[in-house]
Amino acid sequence: MQKQEQVTYLEDTYKVSHAWACSVVSVSRTTKYYQKKMPAKDAQIKTMIEQVIGCSRKGRNKVICLVQKKYPHISGSKIRRVYEQEGFSLHRRLKRRIKNQPANPIEIPLVANQEWAMDFMSDTLENGRKFRTLNVVDHFNRACMGIAVAHSLPSVRVIEYLERMIEFQGKPRRIRTDNGPEFRSKKFQAWMSEQQITWSPIQKGKPQQNGIVERFNRTFREDVLDAYLFSSVAHAQDLADTWKQDYNNRRPHQSLGYQTPSEYAA
């Protein structure tokens, strides 16, 4: 709290005189009546800033650049000071804080469909356009339940893909994910509640708590995403589906005693 605010607090709370409040805080009584006057040179700089801003919204660095183009002799520090003091600063949108989850260590279930793990990956096509993949793994036997490939995978698309997967694979009791916006969305949470599936989020900044799907992502990255050039999303989906069959039925896993996921589940 600044000294002048302390003086005001004493006056309003304890109904004391201004002189007594100033003596307690050790501040001059004249500060109450002093009004800071903007120097004439600052008024000129303020006018320059108003000219370059006009009716639009411009950030500090852009305003400094535009002012100095017209008036090269004005230093950036002066423009910055006036820009901030006169209230030209843009409103900074605060980031939404995500409530951290409790520790969520991995537990290996004894049967299938107890817990699935999901995560996103991204890559680019030959033409430079980006696409994403949604990878789903069963913790029981490390089986790849599915890989969805699309340019965009919002929560609605995630729900549609999971519904198709559940139709063929069965419904899991839990789904483990990170705290991405697709999984925190109201639609996804409402769908999970409707399906009576428990959401098992990991802690922020703790990818090791989703280590099984993270390990799967590394293998998928090395064998598919880094190994091929994709002409289209359909091409990437075809290669992912082919690789999924090899991963589940012919690739031995050290964590499964060098059995394939399909052999381990048998």
Side-chain angles (χ1 to χ4, degrees):
M1 185 182 294
Q2 299 296 325
K3 287 191 174 183
Q4 190 57 47
E5 294 176 353
Q6 295 173 356
V7 170
T8 304
Y9 173 78
L10 291 173
E11 292 175 353
D12 295 341
T13 305
Y14 299 100
K15 308 301 180 183
V16 298
S17 66
H18 178 66
W20 187 89
C22 289
S23 65
V24 171
V25 182
S26 299
V27 64
S28 174
R29 286 178 292 174
T30 59
T31 56
K32 180 179 180 179
Y33 312 103
Y34 173 76
Q35 293 183 355
K36 188 175 180 181
K37 296 180 181 180
M38 182 176 64
K41 59 181 181 181
D42 286 358
Q44 295 175 359
I45 296 175
K46 180 181 178 181
T47 303
M48 297 173 188
I49 294 174
E50 290 173 342
Q51 289 175 354
V52 300
I53 289 181
C55 299
S56 63
R57 287 164 47 87
K58 292 183 176 68
R60 182 185 64 190
N61 293 336
K62 187 172 292 185
V63 167
I64 293 173
C65 178
L66 291 173
V67 171
Q68 288 185 325
K69 280 185 177 180
K70 290 186 175 182
Y71 309 98
H73 61 283
I74 305 296
S75 68
S77 60
K78 290 182 180 179
I79 303 171
R80 182 184 301 108
R81 175 173 55 80
V82 177
Y83 176 85
E84 294 175 352
Q85 288 179 352
E86 297 303 315
F88 292 108
S89 299
L90 297 178
H91 173 69
R92 179 173 294 180
R93 186 175 179 181
L94 298 178
K95 291 185 177 180
R96 182 181 176 185
R97 294 199 174 194
I98 302 173
K99 182 181 179 181
N100 201 6
Q101 305 292 341
N104 190 6
I106 294 176
E107 296 180 1
I108 306 302
L110 300 178
V111 293
N113 289 342
Q114 290 295 300
E115 186 173 45
W116 291 359
M118 300 194 305
D119 197 16
F120 290 105
M121 299 184 71
S122 62
D123 209 318
T124 56
L125 302 176
E126 284 182 319
N127 59 11
R129 189 175 179 185
K130 292 184 178 181
F131 67 89
R132 303 181 77 193
T133 72
L134 173 66
N135 304 337
V136 186
V137 176
D138 191 329
H139 275 188
F140 165 63
N141 61 341
R142 315 300 199 272
C144 174
M145 310 305 289
I147 303 172
V149 183
H151 288 298
S152 177
L153 286 168
S155 58
V156 176
R157 298 282 298 274
V158 172
I159 291 171
E160 292 175 355
Y161 186 70
L162 287 175
E163 286 178 341
R164 293 198 302 268
M165 192 182 305
I166 288 173
E167 184 178 352
F168 293 100
Q169 308 283 0
K171 184 168 63 175
R173 294 184 59 187
R174 299 184 304 275
I175 293 181
R176 178 181 293 253
T177 71
D178 57 20
N179 292 276
E182 299 85 359
F183 305 130
R184 289 186 290 107
S185 69
K186 292 181 180 179
K187 289 184 179 179
F188 184 78
Q189 292 299 320
W191 178 82
M192 293 277 284
S193 178
E194 180 184 341
Q195 295 292 322
Q196 297 182 341
I197 300 174
T198 303
W199 183 42
S200 181
I202 64 173
Q203 287 181 302
K204 294 186 297 182
K206 300 287 185 180
Q208 63 270 24
Q209 293 180 6
N210 209 7
I212 291 178
V213 74
E214 292 287 351
R215 180 62 183 86
F216 172 87
N217 290 348
R218 172 185 163 187
T219 303
F220 181 62
R221 170 73 66 185
E222 293 174 347
D223 292 358
V224 180
L225 297 183
D226 288 349
Y228 297 95
L229 289 176
F230 307 106
S231 58
S232 64
V233 167
H235 181 211
Q237 184 70 72
D238 289 342
L239 289 173
D241 291 341
T242 302
W243 178 83
K244 171 193 162 188
Q245 296 300 321
D246 180 78
Y247 180 87
N248 287 340
N249 300 307
R250 289 183 289 274
R251 183 190 183 97
H253 291 240
Q254 184 178 359
S255 60
L256 303 178
Y258 292 99
Q259 299 180 81
T260 65
S262 57
E263 292 171 345
Y264 186 82

